[in-house]
């Protein structure tokens, strides 16, 4: 195994405890591939936005040895409050080439340090207008769950911190490791970074019948052709009711979700097998290699061969 990747979490006063704990919980579930340290700008305890403080073991000197720096969110900035300059100054000690990651309002720190100028980024949708007004040189996308711009990744609020950390593990070590970590954390293994942050649908009534059974059946039979009628039948609902309930529960249409699951399965097979593209297409339910290529390119912007090379090195042109 390669040397352990060092992740340093930089906590500000007013930090949200849930997001502060995400990097440690996720990265440390990857069987020793990462080590996580938490620091503050002065090595002193950090006030959270709740009714307690946390003691950290490190000061800003920890940033000098970081391979990845994560900035979790702190109490949302307002029209008058400025980003703590001590946070901005601390980033100056980060070594060149280190990966920078923000969760939610952590993006304000990266932007205040000039590290997002001219780059795509996201933050929580509730502070998007304030962010755009303060940092007009940042290409803000307030709808994305997270944005991967190579050495800088930004994510939206709360649970999207899980998404971006799992995405990093996937990028570093492939889908098999990321899926194992997701199972340990009881989290979805993958949500597309471009998925909308805020889905304007009510939470389904708990007494109402759901679509989970149909989704499970679909995942077990991705290699088979299936229609909306097939899915509705497994939920014992009419087509119209099923489509409405599915969108309420999942946040997207059944058709879009099914394509997403097929692409995800195809990515796993590209990373972990030497199967030809046409064979993979058949195993995940696409009509053929051309269909798989189109959907993969639409999802992540690369061909199957380019994707496979990213994770497994150059292979023969037959793949």
């Amino acid at each position: 195994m390669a040397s352990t990747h060092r992740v340093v979490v930089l906590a500000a006063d007013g930090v949200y405890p849930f997001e502060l704990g995400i990097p440690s919980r996720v990265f440390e579930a990857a069987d020793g591939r990462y080590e996580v340290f938490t620091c503050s700008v002065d090595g002193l305890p950090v006030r959270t936005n709740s009714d307690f403080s946390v003691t950290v073991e490190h000061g800003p000197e920890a940033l000098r040895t970081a391979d990845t720096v994560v900035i979790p969110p702190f109490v949302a900035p307002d029209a008058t409050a400025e980003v703590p300059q001590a946070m901005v100054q601390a980033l100056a000690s980060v070594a060149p080439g280190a990966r920078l990651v923000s969760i939610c309002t952590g993006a304000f720190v990266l932007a205040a340090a000039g590290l997002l100028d001219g780059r795509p980024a996201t933050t929580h949708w509730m502070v998007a207008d304030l962010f755009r007004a303060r940092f007009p040189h940042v290409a803000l996308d307030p709808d994305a769950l997270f944005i991967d711009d190579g050495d800088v990744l930004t994510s939206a609020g709360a649970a999207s911190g899980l998404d971006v950390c799992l995405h990093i593990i996937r990028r570093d070590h492939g889908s098999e490791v990321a899926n194992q970590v997701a199972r340990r954390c009881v989290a979805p293994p993958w949500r597309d970074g471009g998925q909308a942050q805020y889905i304007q649908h009510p939470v389904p009534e708990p007494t109402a019948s759901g679509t989970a059974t149909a989704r499970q059946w679909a995942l077990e039979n991705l290699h088979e052709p299936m229609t909306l009628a097939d899915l509705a039948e497994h939920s014992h609902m009419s087509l119209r009711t099923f489509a409405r309930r599915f969108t309420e529960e999942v946040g997207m249409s059944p058709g879009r979700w099914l394509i997403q699951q097929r692409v995800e399965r195809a990515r796993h097979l590209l990373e972990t097998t030497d199967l030809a593209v046409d064979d993979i297409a058949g195993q995940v339910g696409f009509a053929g290699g051309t269909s798989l290529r189109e959907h993969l390119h639409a999802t992540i912007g690369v061909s199957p061969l380019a994707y496979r090379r990213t994770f497994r090195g150059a292979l023969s042109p037959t793949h």
Side-chain angles (χ1 to χ4, degrees):
M1 183 182 295
S3 60
T4 305
H5 187 100
R6 187 179 176 95
V7 178
V8 176
V9 182
L10 176 60
D13 278 333
V15 69
Y16 286 76
F18 173 71
E19 290 90 328
L20 175 63
I22 286 174
S24 176
R25 183 66 185 89
V26 175
F27 289 118
E28 290 186 348
D31 292 331
R33 293 174 172 86
Y34 302 86
E35 54 182 354
V36 182
F37 301 87
T38 304
C39 74
S40 64
V41 295
D42 51 14
L44 297 176
V46 176
R47 297 190 308 274
T48 72
N49 78 318
S50 191
D51 62 342
F52 59 90
S53 296
V54 293
T55 300
V56 298
E57 299 295 328
H58 305 280
E61 68 280 353
L63 295 169
R64 301 190 192 103
T65 61
D67 299 304
T68 293
V69 174
V70 181
I71 304 176
F74 48 94
V75 174
D78 58 32
T80 58
E82 295 295 330
V83 174
Q85 280 304 300
M87 292 285 286
V88 175
Q89 292 166 4
L91 290 180
S93 61
V94 176
R99 181 165 53 197
L100 300 172
V101 183
S102 68
I103 303 173
C104 192
T105 56
F108 279 75
V109 178
L110 294 181
L115 298 170
L116 296 180
D117 286 354
R119 306 184 74 148
T122 193
T123 189
H124 197 292
W125 61 271
M126 290 183 67
V127 294
D129 289 342
L130 175 61
F131 186 96
R132 187 179 285 112
R134 284 199 179 180
F135 308 111
H137 300 299
V138 179
L140 182 69
D141 180 355
D143 295 323
L145 286 178
F146 62 85
I147 291 178
D148 180 346
D149 195 38
D151 59 338
V152 177
L153 297 91
T154 53
S155 62
S160 66
L162 288 166
D163 296 317
V164 74
C165 289
L166 287 169
H167 170 77
I168 288 170
I169 294 175
R170 182 189 186 97
R171 198 177 87 174
D172 290 351
H173 300 288
S175 65
E176 187 170 358
V177 173
N179 289 344
Q180 289 172 354
V181 170
R183 282 194 293 272
R184 290 176 182 174
C185 296
V186 197
W190 178 71
R191 289 197 297 169
D192 181 8
Q195 183 174 323
Q197 282 188 36
Y198 179 60
I199 303 163
Q200 196 168 6
H201 294 285
V203 175
E205 292 296 329
T207 56
S209 58
T211 62
T213 300
R215 296 199 302 274
Q216 184 60 38
W217 173 81
L219 290 173
E220 294 171 354
N221 295 275
L222 281 179
H223 59 287
E224 299 286 351
M226 62 185 71
T227 65
L228 180 60
D230 295 327
L231 294 170
E233 181 179 353
H234 276 79
S235 292
H236 307 290
M237 298 179 189
S238 68
L239 288 175
R240 183 174 180 179
T241 299
F242 176 79
R244 176 177 57 79
R245 292 286 296 140
F246 191 101
T247 303
E248 288 175 352
E249 293 177 15
V250 181
M252 65 183 74
S253 70
R256 180 183 171 191
W257 177 86
L258 187 58
I259 289 173
Q260 186 182 87
Q261 303 312 308
R262 284 175 165 156
V263 169
E264 170 67 4
R265 185 73 58 81
R267 289 170 69 168
H268 176 74
L269 292 173
L270 285 167
E271 294 172 18
T272 60
T273 75
D274 292 328
L275 290 172
V277 171
D278 285 344
D279 293 335
I280 291 176
Q283 288 200 22
V284 303
F286 285 126
T290 299
S291 180
L292 170 56
R293 291 181 182 92
E294 290 174 351
H295 285 297
L296 188 67
H297 193 276
T299 301
I300 57 176
V302 299
S303 69
L305 179 59
Y307 185 81
R308 176 171 266 165
R309 280 176 171 161
T310 297
F311 286 94
R312 308 189 62 222
L315 297 175
S316 68
T318 59
H319 295 85

